[in-house]
Amino acid sequence: MVDQNTFLEALREAAEIARNSDTALSPEEIHRYFEGMDLTTEQEAMISRYLEKPLEPEEEETEDPNDETNDASLDQLSDSAYYHMYLNEVREKGTGSKEQLLELYRKLIAGEDAAEQIANGWLMRIIRMAEFYKENPVNMQDLIQEGNIALWIALGEISGAMAISEVDSYLENRVRNAFEEYIRETAGNVDHAQAVLAKAGLLHEAQEVLAKENGRAPSLRELSEYTHISVEEIQSILALYEQQEN
Protein backbone atom coordinates (compact mmCIF):
# COMPACT_ATOMS: atom_id res chain seq x y z
CA MET A 1 0.00 0.00 0.00
CA VAL A 2 1.33 3.44 -0.95
CA ASP A 3 1.97 5.83 1.95
CA GLN A 4 -0.23 8.84 1.19
CA ASN A 5 2.07 11.44 2.72
CA THR A 6 5.06 10.12 0.78
CA PHE A 7 3.03 10.00 -2.42
CA LEU A 8 1.70 13.56 -1.92
CA GLU A 9 5.19 14.90 -1.31
CA ALA A 10 6.50 13.23 -4.47
CA LEU A 11 3.55 14.49 -6.52
CA ARG A 12 3.94 18.05 -5.22
CA GLU A 13 7.64 18.04 -6.06
CA ALA A 14 7.08 16.62 -9.54
CA ALA A 15 4.21 19.07 -10.20
CA GLU A 16 6.42 22.01 -9.21
CA ILE A 17 9.16 20.86 -11.60
CA ALA A 18 6.60 20.28 -14.38
CA ARG A 19 5.05 23.71 -13.82
CA ASN A 20 8.38 25.50 -14.26
CA SER A 21 9.71 23.36 -17.10
CA ASP A 22 9.48 24.20 -20.78
CA THR A 23 9.15 20.52 -21.65
CA ALA A 24 7.05 17.72 -20.20
CA LEU A 25 8.65 15.33 -17.74
CA SER A 26 9.74 12.09 -19.38
CA PRO A 27 8.37 8.73 -18.15
CA GLU A 28 11.82 7.99 -16.73
CA GLU A 29 11.86 11.25 -14.76
CA ILE A 30 8.36 10.63 -13.41
CA HIS A 31 9.35 7.10 -12.43
CA ARG A 32 12.27 8.44 -10.40
CA TYR A 33 9.95 10.63 -8.31
CA PHE A 34 7.73 7.65 -7.44
CA GLU A 35 10.43 5.00 -7.29
CA GLY A 36 9.71 2.32 -4.72
CA MET A 37 5.96 2.99 -4.61
CA ASP A 38 3.64 0.14 -5.54
CA LEU A 39 1.55 2.01 -8.11
CA THR A 40 -0.92 0.42 -10.49
CA THR A 41 -0.69 1.01 -14.24
CA GLU A 42 -3.80 3.17 -14.05
CA GLN A 43 -2.32 5.30 -11.28
CA GLU A 44 0.89 5.79 -13.25
CA ALA A 45 -1.13 6.86 -16.29
CA MET A 46 -3.13 9.35 -14.21
CA ILE A 47 0.07 10.82 -12.79
CA SER A 48 1.51 11.25 -16.28
CA ARG A 49 -1.63 12.99 -17.52
CA TYR A 50 -1.73 15.20 -14.45
CA LEU A 51 1.90 16.25 -14.77
CA GLU A 52 1.51 17.26 -18.39
CA LYS A 53 -0.08 20.51 -17.13
CA PRO A 54 -0.57 20.41 -13.35
CA LEU A 55 -2.79 23.47 -13.05
CA GLU A 56 -4.26 23.82 -16.51
CA PRO A 57 -7.58 22.48 -17.86
CA GLU A 58 -7.98 20.37 -20.98
CA GLU A 59 -9.78 21.71 -24.04
CA GLU A 60 -12.86 19.50 -23.92
CA GLU A 61 -15.93 21.43 -22.71
CA THR A 62 -18.69 20.24 -20.43
CA GLU A 63 -20.15 23.65 -19.79
CA ASP A 64 -23.09 24.27 -17.49
CA PRO A 65 -24.86 27.49 -18.62
CA ASN A 66 -26.25 28.02 -15.12
CA ASP A 67 -22.82 28.20 -13.49
CA GLU A 68 -21.65 31.72 -12.62
CA THR A 69 -18.02 31.33 -13.59
CA ASN A 70 -17.48 35.07 -13.94
CA ASP A 71 -17.89 35.80 -10.23
CA ALA A 72 -15.63 38.83 -9.71
CA SER A 73 -14.76 37.72 -6.16
CA LEU A 74 -12.62 34.93 -7.60
CA ASP A 75 -10.34 37.55 -9.18
CA GLN A 76 -9.47 38.81 -5.71
CA LEU A 77 -8.15 35.49 -4.40
CA SER A 78 -4.60 36.03 -5.66
CA ASP A 79 -2.44 38.68 -7.31
CA SER A 80 -0.47 36.02 -9.14
CA ALA A 81 -0.44 36.39 -12.92
CA TYR A 82 -0.27 32.60 -13.17
CA TYR A 83 -3.42 32.27 -11.04
CA HIS A 84 -5.34 34.74 -13.22
CA MET A 85 -4.25 32.95 -16.39
CA TYR A 86 -5.42 29.67 -14.88
CA LEU A 87 -8.72 31.19 -13.70
CA ASN A 88 -9.44 32.60 -17.16
CA GLU A 89 -8.80 29.21 -18.77
CA VAL A 90 -11.12 27.50 -16.30
CA ARG A 91 -13.80 30.12 -16.98
CA GLU A 92 -13.53 29.53 -20.72
CA LYS A 93 -13.95 25.84 -20.12
CA GLY A 94 -17.04 26.14 -17.93
CA THR A 95 -18.15 23.50 -15.44
CA GLY A 96 -19.72 20.08 -15.57
CA SER A 97 -23.45 19.92 -14.85
CA LYS A 98 -24.78 17.66 -12.10
CA GLU A 99 -26.23 15.27 -14.66
CA GLN A 100 -22.99 15.09 -16.65
CA LEU A 101 -20.93 14.42 -13.54
CA LEU A 102 -23.29 11.70 -12.32
CA GLU A 103 -22.92 9.93 -15.66
CA LEU A 104 -19.14 10.24 -15.43
CA TYR A 105 -19.24 8.87 -11.87
CA ARG A 106 -21.22 5.89 -13.16
CA LYS A 107 -18.59 5.25 -15.83
CA LEU A 108 -15.74 5.55 -13.34
CA ILE A 109 -17.35 3.06 -10.94
CA ALA A 110 -17.93 0.71 -13.87
CA GLY A 111 -14.21 0.75 -14.60
CA GLU A 112 -14.34 3.09 -17.61
CA ASP A 113 -11.77 5.85 -18.18
CA ALA A 114 -13.64 8.90 -16.86
CA ALA A 115 -11.31 10.33 -14.19
CA GLU A 116 -9.84 13.03 -16.41
CA GLN A 117 -13.26 14.30 -17.51
CA ILE A 118 -14.45 14.38 -13.91
CA ALA A 119 -11.36 16.33 -12.88
CA ASN A 120 -12.01 18.84 -15.66
CA GLY A 121 -15.57 19.29 -14.43
CA TRP A 122 -14.29 20.00 -10.91
CA LEU A 123 -11.75 22.73 -11.73
CA MET A 124 -14.05 25.70 -11.07
CA ARG A 125 -15.65 23.98 -8.11
CA ILE A 126 -12.26 23.60 -6.42
CA ILE A 127 -11.54 27.30 -6.92
CA ARG A 128 -14.90 28.17 -5.37
CA MET A 129 -14.21 25.84 -2.46
CA ALA A 130 -10.82 27.49 -1.95
CA GLU A 131 -12.51 30.90 -1.76
CA PHE A 132 -14.09 29.82 1.53
CA TYR A 133 -10.58 29.77 3.04
CA LYS A 134 -9.44 33.14 1.68
CA GLU A 135 -9.01 34.66 5.16
CA ASN A 136 -6.34 32.09 6.04
CA PRO A 137 -2.66 33.12 5.66
CA VAL A 138 -1.89 30.77 2.77
CA ASN A 139 -0.94 31.11 -0.88
CA MET A 140 -4.26 30.63 -2.70
CA GLN A 141 -2.60 29.28 -5.82
CA ASP A 142 -0.88 26.58 -3.78
CA LEU A 143 -4.11 25.83 -1.91
CA ILE A 144 -5.94 25.22 -5.20
CA GLN A 145 -3.07 23.01 -6.33
CA GLU A 146 -3.48 20.94 -3.15
CA GLY A 147 -7.18 20.54 -3.93
CA ASN A 148 -6.44 19.40 -7.47
CA ILE A 149 -3.90 16.85 -6.24
CA ALA A 150 -6.33 15.51 -3.62
CA LEU A 151 -9.05 15.14 -6.26
CA TRP A 152 -6.77 13.14 -8.55
CA ILE A 153 -5.74 10.82 -5.74
CA ALA A 154 -9.35 10.32 -4.64
CA LEU A 155 -10.47 9.52 -8.19
CA GLY A 156 -7.82 6.82 -8.40
CA GLU A 157 -9.14 5.21 -5.22
CA ILE A 158 -12.82 4.97 -6.19
CA SER A 159 -13.93 1.40 -6.76
CA GLY A 160 -17.04 -0.46 -7.86
CA ALA A 161 -18.06 -0.86 -4.22
CA MET A 162 -19.01 2.82 -3.98
CA ALA A 163 -22.54 3.99 -4.83
CA ILE A 164 -22.88 6.69 -7.48
CA SER A 165 -24.73 8.90 -5.00
CA GLU A 166 -21.72 8.81 -2.63
CA VAL A 167 -19.03 9.86 -5.10
CA ASP A 168 -19.66 13.60 -5.13
CA SER A 169 -19.61 14.05 -1.36
CA TYR A 170 -16.60 11.72 -1.10
CA LEU A 171 -14.62 13.85 -3.55
CA GLU A 172 -15.68 17.08 -1.87
CA ASN A 173 -14.60 15.81 1.54
CA ARG A 174 -11.21 14.73 0.19
CA VAL A 175 -10.61 18.15 -1.37
CA ARG A 176 -11.76 19.98 1.76
CA ASN A 177 -9.60 17.78 3.99
CA ALA A 178 -6.60 18.53 1.76
CA PHE A 179 -7.28 22.26 2.06
CA GLU A 180 -7.50 22.11 5.83
CA GLU A 181 -4.42 19.91 6.21
CA TYR A 182 -2.40 22.31 4.04
CA ILE A 183 -3.65 25.28 6.08
CA ARG A 184 -2.70 23.53 9.33
CA GLU A 185 0.78 22.76 8.00
CA THR A 186 1.27 26.31 6.74
CA ALA A 187 -0.08 27.88 9.92
CA GLY A 188 2.28 25.69 11.91
CA ASN A 189 5.22 26.99 9.88
CA VAL A 190 4.04 30.56 10.40
CA ASP A 191 3.71 30.00 14.15
CA HIS A 192 7.21 28.53 14.27
CA ALA A 193 8.65 31.50 12.38
CA GLN A 194 6.88 33.93 14.70
CA ALA A 195 8.22 32.07 17.74
CA VAL A 196 11.78 32.24 16.39
CA LEU A 197 11.40 35.97 15.72
CA ALA A 198 10.07 36.54 19.23
CA LYS A 199 12.99 34.67 20.79
CA ALA A 200 15.44 36.52 18.56
CA GLY A 201 13.99 39.81 19.81
CA LEU A 202 14.34 38.64 23.39
CA LEU A 203 17.97 37.66 22.78
CA HIS A 204 18.73 41.05 21.25
CA GLU A 205 17.22 42.80 24.25
CA ALA A 206 19.12 40.50 26.65
CA GLN A 207 22.40 41.21 24.88
CA GLU A 208 21.94 44.96 25.30
CA VAL A 209 20.92 44.71 28.97
CA LEU A 210 23.73 42.35 29.96
CA ALA A 211 26.34 44.27 27.99
CA LYS A 212 25.31 47.46 29.77
CA GLU A 213 25.40 45.77 33.18
CA ASN A 214 28.72 43.91 32.70
CA GLY A 215 30.52 46.26 30.35
CA ARG A 216 31.11 43.45 27.84
CA ALA A 217 29.26 41.17 25.44
CA PRO A 218 27.44 38.39 27.32
CA SER A 219 28.36 34.74 26.90
CA LEU A 220 25.93 32.15 25.59
CA ARG A 221 25.56 30.78 29.13
CA GLU A 222 24.67 34.22 30.47
CA LEU A 223 22.13 34.73 27.69
CA SER A 224 20.62 31.33 28.43
CA GLU A 225 20.28 32.07 32.14
CA TYR A 226 18.74 35.47 31.45
CA THR A 227 16.24 34.38 28.77
CA HIS A 228 15.63 30.76 29.87
CA ILE A 229 16.37 29.67 26.30
CA SER A 230 18.75 26.72 25.98
CA VAL A 231 22.30 27.34 24.75
CA GLU A 232 21.67 25.01 21.80
CA GLU A 233 18.57 26.93 20.71
CA ILE A 234 20.36 30.26 21.09
CA GLN A 235 23.13 28.96 18.84
CA SER A 236 20.55 27.85 16.25
CA ILE A 237 18.81 31.24 16.27
CA LEU A 238 22.08 33.16 15.98
CA ALA A 239 23.18 30.85 13.15
CA LEU A 240 19.99 31.62 11.22
CA TYR A 241 20.65 35.33 11.42
CA GLU A 242 24.29 34.88 10.40
CA GLN A 243 23.14 32.98 7.30
CA GLN A 244 20.72 35.80 6.40
CA GLU A 245 23.47 38.42 6.78
CA ASN A 246 25.79 36.41 4.52
Side-chain angles (χ1 to χ4, degrees), residues 8 26 37 88 186 213 236:
L8 277 172
S26 68
M37 299 185 195
N88 289 335
T186 304
E213 288 180 355
S236 297

Side-chain angles (χ1 to χ4, degrees), residues 73-74 76-78 125-144 146-147 171-184 186:
S73 66
L74 300 182
Q76 309 303 317
L77 293 184
S78 173
R125 184 169 174 178
I126 289 175
I127 296 175
R128 289 188 177 283
M129 288 175 66
E131 185 182 17
F132 179 79
Y133 300 92
K134 64 182 179 181
E135 300 303 325
N136 290 277
V138 296
N139 182 299
M140 193 56 59
Q141 179 181 325
D142 290 342
L143 186 67
I144 292 169
E146 291 295 315
L171 295 177
E172 181 169 313
N173 286 336
R174 290 292 293 270
V175 171
R176 197 175 303 283
N177 288 341
F179 282 163
E180 293 174 0
E181 178 62 24
Y182 177 72
I183 290 170
R184 280 194 296 271
T186 304

Side-chain angles (χ1 to χ4, degrees), residues 72-197:
S73 66
L74 300 182
D75 292 293
Q76 309 303 317
L77 293 184
S78 173
D79 295 329
S80 165
Y82 185 85
Y83 166 77
H84 285 281
M85 179 178 68
Y86 173 67
L87 177 61
N88 289 335
E89 290 178 352
V90 174
R91 280 173 167 162
E92 290 175 4
K93 177 180 173 53
T95 59
S97 68
K98 181 178 179 179
E99 292 74 19
Q100 289 171 324
L101 285 174
L102 284 174
E103 176 59 20
L104 290 171
Y105 296 159
R106 184 195 66 76
K107 290 182 177 180
L108 184 66
I109 289 174
E112 298 181 40
D113 187 10
E116 190 169 355
Q117 289 176 284
I118 294 172
N120 291 336
W122 268 75
L123 292 174
M124 180 58 71
R125 184 169 174 178
I126 289 175
I127 296 175
R128 289 188 177 283
M129 288 175 66
E131 185 182 17
F132 179 79
Y133 300 92
K134 64 182 179 181
E135 300 303 325
N136 290 277
V138 296
N139 182 299
M140 193 56 59
Q141 179 181 325
D142 290 342
L143 186 67
I144 292 169
Q145 180 76 63
E146 291 295 315
N148 287 346
I149 290 174
L151 179 71
W152 271 101
I153 293 174
L155 287 171
E157 295 175 352
I158 290 176
S159 68
M162 183 176 292
I164 296 174
S165 60
E166 298 174 344
V167 175
D168 200 78
S169 59
Y170 171 74
L171 295 177
E172 181 169 313
N173 286 336
R174 290 292 293 270
V175 171
R176 197 175 303 283
N177 288 341
F179 282 163
E180 293 174 0
E181 178 62 24
Y182 177 72
I183 290 170
R184 280 194 296 271
E185 291 178 358
T186 304
N189 291 335
V190 171
D191 290 343
H192 175 70
Q194 290 174 339
V196 170
L197 289 173

Side-chain angles (χ1 to χ4, degrees), residues 3-17 25 30 32-35 37 47 51 149:
D3 178 76
Q4 184 165 323
N5 291 331
T6 303
F7 176 78
L8 277 172
E9 187 61 33
L11 190 57
R12 289 169 188 159
E13 185 178 350
E16 183 65 23
I17 296 298
L25 294 178
I30 293 174
R32 281 200 298 272
Y33 281 106
F34 301 92
E35 191 172 4
M37 299 185 195
I47 291 170
L51 292 177
I149 290 174

